[in-house]
Amino acid sequence: MKIKLLGKTPDDLKRIVEEEGLPGFTAKQIARWMYVRKAVSIEEMTDISKAGREKLAEKYEVGVTGYASAAVSRDGTKKYLFPVSPGENGGSGQAAVEAVMIPDGDRATLCVSSQSGCRMGCRFCMTGRQGFHGHLRTEEILSQFLAIDEAGSLTNAVFMGMGEPLDNYDNVMRAIEVLTADWGFAWSPKRITVSTIGVIPALKRYLDESRCHLAVSLHDPFPEERLSIMPVEKAWGIGEIVGLIRRYDFSGQRRVSFEYTMFAGFNDSVRHADALIRLLKGLECRVNLIRFHRIPDFPYDCSPDIMMKRFQERLNNAGITATIRASRGEDILAACGMLAGRFRDGK
C-alpha cells in the first residue's frame, strides 16, 4: 500500500523528497499542487521532473478518495457519499461517510464528517444511532474538500457532519492546519466552525490552540433532561462546558454558538427558554434553533413554527441573539442529524 501525501506539511514533504534523493524545493511544489491547485495525482505535478514523479509514484500517492455517489436536493444542497477505511480505534469491514455541500448565494459551505459513525450516542441523531466504526484519517477528511465537484468554489466549512470532531482531535486539527496555513488552502480561521457535544479535555485544547469558530450541541438546559437524549451529559455536563467557555474571549473575531434542536413538548417551553437564558446570560454567543427531522424510534416531533418563533423572541428579548436555522437538504436526508453514511445494495 502506498503512503499518502495528502495532509502532510512542507516539513513532512521535505523529509520525504530528501529521502528519495530529490531537491528540497520539490516539497513546496508538491504542497502547492495538492493544496492550491487541488491535484489528485502525482502525475499532474508537471513542474516536477518526469523522473522525479516516477520516483515518488513508486512509494507514494496523493491519497484523495473519490466520492462513490452524489444526490442533489431540490434546494440545491448536494450530498456526497465517500467510502472510507475504518481508522485508528475503528472497526472492520466496509464503511462510508457523507459530506454535504450547501450553496447560499455567494457562499458554498461544506459540512464535513470526521468519523465513520459516532460513539456519543445522541438518541435524536441518525449518525449516533449507528454506533462507531472508526476515526477518519487526515487525508480522508481533506478528501471531502478536494474530491467534490465544487472543490474550487468552497468558501466555508463546518465540522458538523458524521462524528464528534473533538473525539478525533489530532486528525481534525491536522486537517484544519492544512486548511488555514499559508502553504495550504490559506483560509482564514473565520471560515471554519467546529461543532462538539462538549468533550471537555479536547475542548480546552481546541480553545487554546485554534482560532476557528466553535458550535456547542446544547439541546436542553436541564442536565437530567439533556442526559435522557445525550448520554455524554453524564461525563461532561452542560454547566461545566459553559463554565469552561466563559473563560475565553469571544468578543473579537472568534465566535461561539449553541445548537438547540427543538422537540415538541420536550424542550420548547417558557421554562426551557428561561433556563437557557440563565445558563448563557452575559456570554457573547448566538443560539441556533434547529428544526428536528424525525427519525425512526424517537418519540418526539419538531416543535411547531409558532413555538420556535416564541422561543426565539424570548431569548432575543433577554439579550441573547437567537436565530432559526433554515433547514436544507431534508428531501435527500442531508439535514441536521440525518447523515447515516450507508451503502445499499452495493451502492
Side-chain angles (χ1 to χ4, degrees):
M1 183 178 295
K2 292 184 178 182
I3 299 169
K4 317 292 186 186
L5 296 175
L6 188 60
K8 296 192 182 301
T9 68
D11 286 343
D12 297 330
L13 294 170
K14 187 174 182 180
R15 285 190 288 271
I16 288 172
V17 299
E18 288 177 348
E19 287 173 4
E20 298 302 319
L22 299 175
F25 62 78
T26 309
K28 291 183 179 180
Q29 292 174 305
I30 295 171
R32 184 169 62 251
W33 277 106
M34 289 195 299
Y35 304 135
V36 180
R37 299 179 179 174
K38 311 295 191 293
V40 299
S41 71
I42 291 173
E43 187 56 34
E44 294 176 61
M45 302 177 185
T46 51
D47 58 356
I48 299 174
S49 69
K50 188 173 187 297
R53 281 178 277 149
E54 290 175 349
K55 180 83 169 173
L56 286 169
E58 290 175 6
K59 292 168 55 177
Y60 300 93
E61 61 183 351
V62 172
V64 173
T65 300
Y67 62 85
S69 65
V72 183
S73 167
R74 55 179 168 262
D75 65 22
T77 298
K78 193 169 183 180
K79 181 171 73 170
Y80 290 92
L81 181 74
F82 287 89
V84 295
S85 302
E88 52 257 54
N89 301 318
S92 60
Q94 190 177 41
V97 298
E98 291 170 332
V100 179
M101 195 285 298
I102 307 165
D104 183 15
D106 59 356
R107 292 165 60 98
T109 300
L110 186 66
C111 181
V112 187
S113 290
S114 57
Q115 295 177 315
S116 177
C118 184
R119 52 184 168 194
M120 299 301 117
C122 298
R123 292 181 58 209
F124 53 89
C125 176
M126 284 292 290
T127 306
R129 297 277 283 275
Q130 70 174 261
F132 177 66
H133 307 299
H135 296 310
L136 297 195
R137 297 185 294 270
T138 303
E139 70 268 17
E140 291 174 321
I141 295 171
L142 291 172
S143 285
Q144 296 168 66
F145 290 85
L146 294 172
I148 65 172
D149 300 337
E150 300 81 9
S153 59
L154 292 175
T155 63
N156 297 81
V158 291
F159 283 76
M160 295 182 181
M162 299 174 66
E164 163 55 56
L166 298 190
D167 190 37
N168 187 18
Y169 187 84
D170 290 338
N171 284 310
V172 167
M173 292 304 292
R174 278 197 294 269
I176 289 176
E177 180 184 9
V178 171
L179 293 172
T180 57
D182 290 341
W183 48 260
F185 283 46
W187 281 17
S188 165
K190 295 186 295 181
R191 296 168 65 177
I192 300 169
T193 300
V194 173
S195 177
T196 179
I197 49 78
V199 181
I200 283 183
L203 175 58
K204 186 176 187 309
R205 287 185 63 191
Y206 177 76
L207 290 170
D208 288 336
E209 298 170 5
S210 172
R211 299 307 301 168
C212 297
H213 301 314
L214 173 69
V216 178
S217 295
L218 197 159
H219 306 304
D220 198 300
F222 296 107
E224 65 280 5
E225 292 181 9
R226 188 172 187 260
L227 177 62
S228 72
I229 58 171
M230 300 177 69
V232 72
E233 172 68 24
K234 186 173 183 179
W236 300 297
I238 191 59
E240 186 181 2
I241 293 165
V242 174
L244 173 63
I245 291 169
R246 285 186 181 277
R247 291 158 51 186
Y248 293 83
D249 180 15
F250 289 95
S251 61
Q253 294 186 331
R254 181 166 63 166
R255 298 192 306 268
V256 60
S257 60
F258 292 89
E259 312 296 296
Y260 197 95
T261 301
M262 299 200 67
F263 308 112
F266 179 77
N267 67 348
D268 59 352
S269 69
V270 169
R271 180 176 71 95
H272 289 88
D274 289 346
L276 189 57
I277 291 166
R278 291 193 298 271
L279 179 66
L280 302 180
K281 196 71 173 177
L283 179 61
E284 189 76 26
C285 67
R286 175 185 298 270
V287 175
N288 291 318
L289 304 177
I290 301 170
R291 290 182 172 86
F292 174 59
H293 305 281
R294 189 159 179 78
I295 62 174
D297 303 320
F298 188 73
Y300 299 104
D301 290 308
C302 181
S303 301
D305 285 352
I306 190 170
M307 292 293 290
M308 294 187 69
K309 187 65 176 175
R310 288 172 180 169
F311 201 98
Q312 177 195 21
E313 290 174 351
R314 196 166 185 89
L315 296 182
N316 286 338
N317 289 339
I320 294 176
T321 301
T323 58
I324 298 175
R325 180 184 290 169
S327 182
R328 301 291 299 272
E330 183 176 4
D331 57 317
I332 57 168
L333 303 181
C336 291
M338 301 184 80
L339 299 185
R342 294 175 178 168
F343 285 104
R344 294 180 180 175
D345 300 325
K347 299 182 180 179

